[in-house]
Amino acid sequence: MGKIWKWIENFLFQRNQQVVVHGMKSLVALVLSGIPQGSVLAPLLFICFINDMPEVVHSSIRMFADDTKIFRTVNNPEQAQPLQDDLDALEEWSNLWQLRFNAETVKLCILVAATNA
């Protein structure tokens, strides 16, 4: 194991958390997953974590920070199936890595191109 890997492992291993509400403290609990929000490493580790997402889709994909868009041209109902297959593959990826998509922010955008007849 390299030094950077060991350093990241030490950063994430054996972290504890405690909640304080109106001066009352909860019991200390071991944090089993996740990255401390606001840490300098959080964005970099997140990018490393999602880096394989484009490998599970055949549609075009664009990713920026925690925003992901997939798209493809669909001219008839049969061409919609590959897009649905990619959405299903992303759901499987999400379940495998326990990183849920936020249903509140998922959007479907349909662009219709005008044709010159």
Side-chain angles (χ1 to χ4, degrees), residues 8 13 16 24 27 32 36 42 53 56 58 79 90 101 105:
I8 292 171
F13 188 68
N16 295 308
M24 300 292 294
L27 296 174
L32 301 175
M53 189 188 301
V56 304
H58 300 307
Q79 291 179 340
L90 285 173
F101 293 107
T105 63

Side-chain angles (χ1 to χ4, degrees), residues 64-76:
F64 179 75
D66 65 348
D67 186 30
T68 301
K69 293 175 178 27
I70 65 167
F71 53 95
R72 75 180 313 126
T73 301
V74 176
N75 292 314
N76 58 56

Side-chain angles (χ1 to χ4, degrees), residues 51-64:
N51 194 44
D52 68 327
M53 189 188 301
E55 296 172 18
V56 304
V57 298
H58 300 307
S59 297
S60 297
I61 187 169
R62 298 293 181 264
M63 299 165 56
F64 179 75

Side-chain angles (χ1 to χ4, degrees), residues 24-53:
M24 300 292 294
K25 296 180 181 180
S26 70
L27 296 174
V28 175
L30 183 64
V31 177
L32 301 175
S33 66
I35 298 170
Q37 294 297 306
S39 69
V40 175
L41 278 181
L44 176 64
L45 293 176
F46 180 76
I47 289 169
C48 292
F49 189 73
I50 65 168
N51 194 44
D52 68 327
M53 189 188 301

